[in-house]
Amino acid sequence: MYSASSSVSAPPRLSHPAGTDSSLRTRPPLTAARRGLPTGTSHPLSGRLDLTGPQGAQLRTAIAAVQRICPEFNPVQMLRRSGRTALLVGTSGRSPAVAKCLLDQSPAWVERFQHEIAAYRAFVRHRPPARVPRLIAADPESCVLVLERMPGRVVSVQRHPTEPPPRSDVRAAIGAFGRINFWRPPAGVFDAPIDYPARISRYHELGLLTDRDMGDLQKLLHGLAHVQGQFCHGDALLSNVLLSPAGPVLVDWEHAGWYLPGYDLAVLWSALGNDPVARRQISQLAQNQGPASRDAFLVNLMLVLTREIRTYETAVQRTMRSAAPPAQTVAGAGEEQRLLLRRLHDDCGLARRAVRAAVGTR
């Protein structure tokens, strides 16, 4: 949440236990040209607050909403602004604070924002085994959230890092998400953000999954019917990990809840397309608990990769339709996104073969 831009990443190759017909193998790292964030995901606006013009009016409304629930909040700087949210740095009393305000009041985004508020409120009563920012104030109605500002730097500001982050940073991120995954908050505190059968059917209807993909994933799901869910962050991107002097801090909890085991690992695998060593480690972690753990990871990975492909295909189409930026800029951004899409399709092919091999071992 504190990063100047959002990030998503390409999935790590899966390794499979002996006896399977295929495995996810590593590929050479991408060149620097093969980066690309979907246009419009977020726009860093570091600098003093500009309260002029139409956007300024929107920002004044957001600041007023923040100060209604936290009168002592003094905004100083815009940290990030996207079409959906604004992130303001300031102080609450004498303490550094950050305010997150929802600008897009569509029902889906309101629900997601309220889910994040509920997560931070739950953390007040049930402390998770990883560091999270302290809740200062929140209002689900106006979709405003005020948190302590944690010191530190994000592991990567890119959703799909073009260069592998430092090994120690990746280890810290994997460890922090792993501690969360072993946590068992009380029943009823968090829900299950994904309806797996419905998600698979929806992607199939959109033409993102073949008939065989849907059949294979349904077979794996059937075998996982009695597997205990795992608490996950739900958006385990490197941009959601701050490395502070006291250790890693996890932010952006709007997707937190109960998933099939290995969901956070699948997101990390998808995010580390240029880090084959980390991908192998993640694959091994996903399979340490046996075939059920492997199958759950593969189901998660197929859904995460399919979502990424859909997101970036939409971004490419939007970029190519855009007439506002110079043609050269549009062409360059479009090429980066197309290269990333190609990699995501390659990764999805690897995951698809791994799923088929897993179905064959059942």
Side-chain angles (χ1 to χ4, degrees), residues 127-332:
R127 188 173 179 178
R131 289 176 60 82
V132 300
R134 178 178 59 86
L135 176 66
I136 296 174
D139 181 17
E141 295 301 318
S142 58
C143 291
V144 171
L145 181 61
V146 184
L147 303 166
E148 69 171 322
R149 189 183 185 196
M150 306 290 288
R153 59 179 176 82
V154 293
V155 175
S156 173
V157 298
Q158 292 179 300
R159 188 173 181 88
H160 293 266
T162 56
E163 300 294 336
R167 181 73 48 225
S168 58
D169 291 1
V170 174
R171 281 199 302 268
I174 293 174
F177 288 119
R179 288 191 293 276
I180 287 295
N181 296 156
F182 281 107
W183 186 42
R184 306 293 299 180
V189 176
F190 293 92
D191 59 12
I194 292 182
D195 180 335
Y196 281 89
R199 180 70 60 89
I200 291 169
S201 296
R202 180 166 169 244
Y203 284 167
H204 177 255
E205 291 169 2
L206 291 171
L208 298 168
L209 294 174
T210 67
D211 291 346
R212 181 169 180 182
D213 289 337
M214 184 171 72
D216 287 345
L217 290 172
Q218 288 173 338
K219 288 175 184 176
L220 292 185
L221 273 183
H222 180 74
L224 296 167
H226 301 294
V227 170
Q228 188 177 42
Q230 182 182 71
F231 182 75
C232 293
H233 177 279
D235 198 21
L237 302 170
L238 299 180
S239 60
N240 289 334
V241 183
L242 288 173
L243 298 178
S244 77
V249 180
L250 302 183
V251 298
D252 276 359
W253 289 88
E254 63 261 37
H255 300 285
W258 296 97
Y259 293 79
L260 284 177
Y263 188 85
D264 281 345
L265 290 177
V267 174
L268 278 171
W269 195 94
S270 78
L272 289 164
N274 290 323
D275 195 340
V277 174
R279 282 190 159 187
R280 284 195 294 271
Q281 179 185 358
I282 291 168
S283 297
Q284 290 164 3
L285 288 172
Q287 298 178 80
N288 280 347
Q289 304 302 314
S293 173
R294 174 204 64 191
D295 292 353
F297 173 66
L298 289 174
V299 171
N300 286 321
L301 187 58
M302 276 295 292
L303 294 184
V304 168
L305 287 172
T306 303
R307 179 198 64 195
E308 291 298 288
I309 288 171
R310 186 185 182 208
T311 298
Y312 280 88
E313 283 180 342
T314 302
V316 168
Q317 294 168 2
R318 186 169 56 240
T319 299
M320 301 314 295
R321 287 197 304 266
S322 174
Q328 185 176 2
T329 301
V330 172

